[in-house]
Each structure stands twice: as structure tokens, then as C-alpha cells.
Amino acid sequence: MRSLPSVIRTIALTLGIFGAAMPAHAQSSRFTTTAPLPWPPVATFSILGYDPATGEIGGAVQSRVFSVGNGVLWAEAGVGAAATQAIVDVSYGPQAIALLRQGVKPADVVKRVWQRDPDPRPVDWTKEGRQFAVIDANGNVAAYTGPKATEWAGDKQGKFCTAQGNILASAEVVKAMVSAFENTEGHLSMRLLAALEAGQMAGGDKRGMQSAAMLIVKKDGGVWLHNDVVLRLQVDDSPEPIKELRRLVEKAATMRRPRR
């Protein structure tokens, strides 16, 4: 019978062999103490805008997540629009539209929605990381970027627009977006698109690109009868989502007829 010390030495040697054969990243991941987030943050940059000449309201968004348009942009003709992102609670969108419909100002909409958030998952999905923007039917804007949104995160307001983003290259992204929106002429879709392109040129989402979306509304502004949706476009998975969004926007422009 082998002695106890020799058995211990054999076990230790065996464990050492297995440990050496295991890749370093696999060894370290087994002992991590940081709990993963339950869902990836909707890390993105977006812009909300209003055209006083037409009364159209809308928004555009790009991100390194699949199908970013699924839950970020919200809008209602004659009421306003909202963007919900970062450590997102998608219910912020419908709540914002409901308050805007009641005549609540955007700054108060942002304050009320955030304050009544019960923060159901403060440990791994905290309300302190939410990012949320609102624009009303007159082009008044407001936004909130939580202190725990992943850096760089922030927002910037301009004339009839607000740009916001998180996990961005720098503050230059939102600055460039506002500037592009304010200095681009033409249909609201072109101005929103120019803002996305400028944001990407300034560094964009520092993880890269994957999806983009645009939503524009106006009372009876869409095709067919009683359709308030001027444009609802989504590029869910593409190596160049903004380029593909431009193709769709330009295609839509060729089909747009003057309103009687």
C-alpha cells in the first residue's frame, strides 16, 4: 500500500499537468468573481429630430448589436419620439409617448419616467445605467445619461434634435451628430442619416458596426390611407449598416410623392 504523502504528491502532480494543459483564458474564467450582465447593453448612438417645415418627427440609430431597431426607437405622429438604450428598460418608450400625449414637457417626461422606475435589478441591470431621450411635436428635447452607463456615454442637444450614445469613441460622436443634423438640408430622413454618418466618422460605437434603424412619423404622412409612418427602416445585421440604411433612404426618396 502506498503511503499517504505519496498519494498526495501524485494528486498534486496530476492537477498540475491538467492545469498546464488548460488554456490561460479558460483557467481564469473558471474563477471569475464578476457576474455577467443578463443581457448585452444596447450600446449605441442615436438621434431624435423634428422638421418644423413638415411636422415630421423621428429618429435614427446605429449599434454593434443585432437588430438595434428592436426596442430603441419609439414615435407617434403629432406627439413625439423617444430613444431607449444603454442599460435599457424598453418600457421607457411607451411611457414617454403616453406622457407626451398628455402634454408633459420632455424634461419632465425624462424626470418622471426615470424616478418611477422601480429599479427591479439594481445589481446587474441598474437604472443608474439607463440612457433615454425625448422629443415632442414642437421639437423640444431632453435626455438622461445615467452615471453607470458604459463609457464613453453622454448626450448633446441642438436645434430640434438630441443625440446620445454609450460605449462610444468619445464625446466627439454626439457633437458631430448634432452638427450634421443642423447643417444638412433636405428631408428629415436625410438629416437623420447625415447625423449617423457623422457620428460614425467621429468614431461611433467603439466596438464596431452591425445594425441600424430609422423611424419617422407624421399624421397621415405615410403611403396608403390613415398611415402615420413615413419611414420605418431596419438593417438588422450588416458589416456596413449605415451604408445600407442610406441605400434604403435614397430608395424611399425616389418613391416619395408630393402631398396634395
Side-chain angles (χ1 to χ4, degrees), residues 47 156-159 161 163 172-185 191 194-195 198-199:
I47 184 160
K156 183 173 177 59
Q157 288 66 54
K159 186 175 182 180
C161 70
E172 291 303 315
V173 176
V174 292
K175 290 179 182 178
M177 293 175 72
V178 169
S179 178
F181 181 88
E182 292 180 334
N183 293 290
T184 300
E185 297 181 352
R191 299 176 69 192

Side-chain angles (χ1 to χ4, degrees), residues 189-231:
S189 61
M190 295 298 184
R191 299 176 69 192
L192 294 171
L193 180 64
L196 288 190
E197 291 173 334
Q200 185 59 38
M201 286 291 292
D205 184 332
K206 61 188 178 184
R207 302 167 306 162
M209 297 184 286
Q210 186 170 1
S211 63
M214 182 179 294
L215 175 61
I216 298 175
V217 298
K218 178 185 177 181
K219 193 66 178 176
D220 293 325
V223 297
W224 310 304
L225 185 64
H226 297 149
N227 182 15
D228 295 343
V229 179
V230 177
L231 276 181

